[in-house]
């Protein structure tokens, strides 16, 4: 039985679908801080199977232990966490408490109930401002904001745990920029308020909910001066988790993988791919650089390819098409 924390969230829900489709037994835990319980209905509609759901907070130790008591959990896929970079700068303690304390509670419960396999949602943000591309799993690590610090601290805690107990199997997945949605259009990304990330912002402009996109800087040393990132379809990312789960079943130790496509697209290239895929014009203007941004980020994907047999298959236009198909229907 796999426990998916944060399983009603964006990436967790897509992963839940793929695991059910592989006939795995899953349980979802989420406090619904950033997602809705209807996602469970959508997962059932897509897969024909309704996962067991606990509305539980990782900060609620008793509630958490109850889940381990009631179910024989062999592996945890740990998505639950707060992820808004700007908010983490303004309220670091909220992030340290939720992400780090929440993870400690989870690991203590796992230890108590002898569950020793965990796949953790890390991020390319742990590479800080490293500028040599592509980023390999051995590239230097760094921190640029409190959110990123929580990822790095949790990675370090998990490394210590793997050192302390060689029965543990831990996989750290460092995601690049997930976009897109399941083709059912029933699950996808719908952040509250004004989005920080590029694709949700573009979708709001496309729908007329925001007047225009601010392109943060056009004087970077890139193909057209705008920032380049490695966007990965969330469906591919979900498959990456299934592959990681297949590996964790029969291994121990700690393993780290980048999950990206290895391709970088600039902001202007994303805008034109979106326009082409969806036949919609996106209004934009060039704005100043965003503090903390770097010119170019993309992954070296070889390790995941060789050790997990994972290779992303969707291209940027498909990502833009599926992001919009989800967003236009909500
Ligand atoms: P999301 O906000 O859609 O999903 C996270 C889920 O965790 C939400 O449903 C939220 O309600 C839940 N949650 C948060 N704190 C909780 C707590 N204390 N107890 C129980 N549930 C809690 O985010 P996502 O985009 O699906 O991201 C999933 C994970 O991947 C996060 O850890 C995030 O930091 C990481 N990540 C995301 C991205 C990205 O761009 N989306 C990139 C890199 C890493
Ligand atoms: C952001 C987070 C990072 C997180 C990642 C994936 C910051 C500083 N970093 O990175 O920690 O791991 O998301 O969730 O927030 N852009 C615009 N206009 C916009 C929004 C974005 O031009 O309105 C540009 C950015 O400058 C960047 C690109 O689009 O060049 C992608 O931005 P975004 O989606 O926020 O992702 P990252 O900056 O890679």
């Amino acid at each position: 039985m796999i426990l998916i924390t944060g399983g009603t969230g964006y990436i967790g829900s897509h992963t839940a679908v793929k695991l059910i489709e592989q006939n795995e037994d899953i349980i979802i835990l989420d406090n619904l801080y950033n997602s809705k319980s209807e996602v469970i209905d959508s997962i059932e509609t897509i897969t024909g199977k309704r996962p067991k759901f606990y509305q539980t907070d990782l900060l609620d130790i008793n509630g958490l232990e109850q889940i381990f008591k009631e179910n024989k959990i062999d592996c945890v896929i740990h998505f639950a966490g707060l992820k808004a970079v700007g908010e983490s700068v303004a309220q670091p303690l909220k992030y340290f408490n939720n992400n780090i304390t929440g993870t400690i509670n989870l690991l203590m419960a796992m230890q108590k109930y002898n569950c020793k396999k965990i796949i953790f949602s890390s991020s390319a943000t742990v590479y800080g401002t490293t500028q040599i591309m592509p980023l390999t799993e051995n590239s230097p690590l760094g921190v640029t904001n409190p959110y990123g610090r929580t990822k790095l601290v949790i990675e370090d805690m998990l490394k210590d745990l793997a050192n302390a107990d060689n029965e543990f199997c831990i996989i750290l997945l460092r995601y690049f920029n997930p976009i897109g949605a399941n083709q059912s259009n029933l699950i996808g990304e719908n952040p509250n308020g004004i989005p920080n990330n590029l694709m949700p912002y573009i979708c709001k402009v496309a729908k007329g909910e925001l007047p225009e996109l601010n392109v943060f800087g056009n004087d970077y040393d890139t193909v057209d001066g705008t920032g380049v990132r490695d966007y990965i379809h969330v469906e591919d990312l979900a498959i990456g988790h299934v592959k990681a789960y297949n590996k964790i079943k029969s291994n121990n130790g700690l393993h780290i993988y980048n999950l990206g496509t290895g391709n970088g697209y600039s902001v202007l290239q994303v805008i034109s791919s979106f326009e082409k895929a969806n036949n919609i014009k996106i209004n934009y203007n060039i704005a100043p650089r965003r503090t903390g941004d770097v010119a170019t980020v993309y992954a070296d994907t070889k390790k995941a390819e060789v050790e997990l047999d994972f290779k992303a298959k969707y291209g940027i236009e498909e990502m833009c098409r599926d992001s919009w198909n989800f967003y236009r229907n909500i």
Side-chain angles (χ1 to χ4, degrees):
M1 181 78 79
I2 305 167
L3 174 65
I4 305 183
T5 76
T8 44
Y10 174 46
I11 306 169
S13 58
H14 285 80
T15 302
V17 166
K18 292 285 172 271
L19 287 166
I20 293 172
E21 285 172 355
Q22 187 178 277
N23 284 322
E24 305 293 349
D25 284 327
I26 65 158
I27 298 175
I28 289 178
L29 167 162
D30 204 296
N31 64 359
L32 301 181
Y33 179 84
N34 198 35
S35 55
K36 297 195 168 64
S37 61
E38 291 79 50
V39 169
I40 300 293
D41 303 331
S42 300
I43 293 172
E44 183 180 14
T45 308
I46 296 166
T47 63
K49 211 167 159 186
R50 190 174 186 82
K52 196 164 172 184
F53 174 58
Y54 289 87
Q55 185 178 344
T56 302
D57 196 307
L58 289 179
L59 299 176
D60 168 12
I61 294 175
N62 293 334
L64 194 52
E65 287 202 2
Q66 195 59 33
I67 301 175
F68 281 85
K69 225 176 267 171
E70 288 174 14
N71 305 278
K72 172 78 193 86
I73 294 164
D74 310 299
C75 177
V76 176
I77 308 186
H78 179 30
F79 295 97
L82 301 176
K83 61 167 185 175
V85 173
E87 186 187 52
S88 81
V89 175
Q91 300 181 60
L93 291 178
K94 177 175 172 182
Y95 275 67
F96 299 152
N97 190 38
N98 190 77
N99 293 6
I100 300 175
T101 309
T103 302
I104 293 173
N105 291 344
L106 175 66
L107 293 170
M108 301 269 275
M110 287 175 65
Q111 195 162 50
K112 186 162 173 186
Y113 289 89
N114 205 30
C115 171
K116 296 196 171 180
K117 293 182 188 297
I118 181 165
I119 298 171
F120 174 60
S121 298
S122 191
S123 163
T125 191
V126 298
Y127 295 115
T129 52
T130 304
Q131 283 179 20
I132 299 167
M133 296 296 141
L135 292 164
T136 75
E137 289 79 356
N138 292 323
S139 292
L141 303 179
V143 156
T144 54
N145 55 66
Y147 162 72
R149 191 178 307 284
T150 69
K151 293 296 176 195
L152 212 47
V153 167
I154 295 168
E155 283 203 1
D156 284 343
M157 291 191 322
L158 290 168
K159 287 173 188 169
D160 288 341
L161 196 55
N163 281 335
D165 181 346
N166 62 17
E167 286 180 2
F168 255 98
C169 185
I170 296 169
I171 296 187
L172 310 180
L173 297 178
R174 293 179 180 155
Y175 314 152
F176 282 67
N177 292 56
I179 58 174
N182 184 275
Q183 274 152 31
S184 64
N185 299 332
L186 291 171
I187 51 175
E189 188 177 22
N190 181 20
N192 295 327
I194 296 181
N196 298 302
N197 296 115
L198 180 63
M199 186 52 71
Y201 205 111
I202 290 179
C203 286
K204 282 195 184 277
V205 174
K207 214 169 173 178
E209 294 171 352
L210 289 169
E212 62 184 1
L213 172 74
N214 296 309
V215 175
F216 295 143
N218 68 347
D219 56 353
Y220 287 105
D221 183 14
T222 61
V223 57
D224 54 24
T226 65
V228 167
R229 296 292 183 273
D230 184 340
Y231 298 93
I232 176 168
H233 199 300
V234 68
E235 288 279 275
D236 276 327
L237 196 61
I239 302 261
H241 289 77
V242 174
K243 302 272 187 177
Y245 177 67
N246 292 342
K247 179 175 178 93
I248 214 170
K249 279 196 275 196
S250 55
N251 274 278
N252 48 13
L254 182 124
H255 309 269
I256 305 176
Y257 300 103
N258 287 338
L259 293 183
T261 64
N263 303 313
Y265 290 94
S266 74
V267 177
L268 295 183
Q269 287 171 332
V270 174
I271 294 172
S272 65
S273 302
F274 189 96
E275 292 181 332
K276 194 163 163 223
N278 300 316
N279 205 15
I280 296 177
K281 181 103 193 65
I282 298 298
N283 295 325
Y284 68 87
N285 77 292
I286 304 297
R289 290 182 176 195
R290 181 172 68 179
T291 313
D293 272 356
V294 294
T296 301
V297 180
Y298 62 93
D300 185 314
T301 58
K302 273 187 229 80
K303 193 174 176 213
E305 212 173 310
V306 172
E307 295 187 18
L308 295 181
D309 185 31
F310 170 73
K311 196 165 167 47
K313 67 172 196 198
Y314 289 105
I316 189 72
E317 281 189 27
E318 292 160 310
M319 299 183 213
C320 291
R321 177 199 66 198
D322 294 341
S323 289
W324 175 236
N325 277 340
F326 170 73
Y327 196 73
R328 71 202 284 231
N329 285 306
I330 52 176

